[in-house]
Amino acid sequence: MVLLRWIAEVADEPLVLEPTDRRMEWATNSWSLGADDGDRNLLSVAEVVAAFERTAAAIQERIRDLGFSGVATFYVWHDRQAGQLRCSTASVPPDALPFGGTYVASDDLGPVVEGFLAAGEPGFIAWSDLEDAQNFSEQIVTEPGISPFVVWVSSVEASR
């Protein structure tokens, strides 16, 4: 199960907590994790959630060892367009994560992982899901804006 190994490896990757340089944090601490259909079918939501929880605990321990005393958040989201789970660590609270779009911080990782595991291959659209251009243009006019996406957050600051 490659995905579980990759999640575990995130805990050992380089970690930068630099509140004055958010770009460096993002570039160093952000990871994209994918899975083929075989892994998606074999893995349970509970297994993937437990792997991320272990990774968050390991990152928190590393932050303690670094002596960093500020706020730190480990977070995970499902990038539907890329068909990946993404995760990162930042020296910000959960309500200030570096996203350009609207998100909802959650302490329940299950729905994020469930959506990822249930999604098919990225870029693949079944014929039955395609609609003709006329229906599509009507949807654009009548559907409200894009809804916020869910991001699992875990406080990993040393004082916790």
Side-chain angles (χ1 to χ4, degrees):
M1 311 241 190
V2 176
L3 179 62
L4 299 180
R5 187 177 73 235
W6 287 344
I7 293 169
E9 289 174 359
V10 167
D12 297 322
E13 293 293 335
L15 178 66
V16 171
L17 295 172
E18 186 56 57
T20 60
D21 192 347
R22 302 276 186 233
R23 287 180 190 254
M24 182 185 296
E25 279 187 355
W26 178 260
T28 304
N29 301 341
S30 298
W31 302 98
S32 300
L33 308 167
D36 62 20
D37 284 340
D39 253 10
R40 288 176 197 257
N41 293 331
L42 293 174
L43 290 169
S44 72
V45 171
E47 288 173 307
V48 178
V49 167
F52 274 118
E53 288 172 343
R54 287 189 299 273
T55 295
I59 289 172
Q60 183 178 31
E61 189 63 35
R62 287 184 63 197
I63 289 171
R64 276 193 194 117
D65 293 346
L66 290 172
F68 182 77
S69 60
V71 172
T73 303
F74 177 71
Y75 54 104
V76 178
W77 70 101
H78 176 203
D79 182 334
R80 286 184 172 93
Q81 287 182 321
Q84 298 172 329
L85 284 173
R86 300 207 178 184
C87 62
S88 191
T89 305
S91 59
V92 296
D95 63 351
L97 298 177
F99 290 112
T102 306
Y103 67 94
V104 174
S106 173
D107 61 357
D108 185 1
L109 181 54
V112 174
V113 171
E114 186 175 1
F116 169 74
L117 292 177
E121 290 183 47
F124 175 78
I125 301 173
W127 281 107
S128 60
D129 291 338
L130 293 175
E131 298 183 25
D132 64 44
Q134 182 178 353
N135 287 343
F136 182 71
S137 63
E138 289 171 5
Q139 286 178 358
I140 292 173
V141 173
T142 59
E143 287 187 4
I146 298 172
S147 60
F149 59 98
V150 178
V151 179
W152 177 70
V153 296
S154 177
S155 175
V156 291
E157 58 209 37
S159 62
R160 188 171 168 232

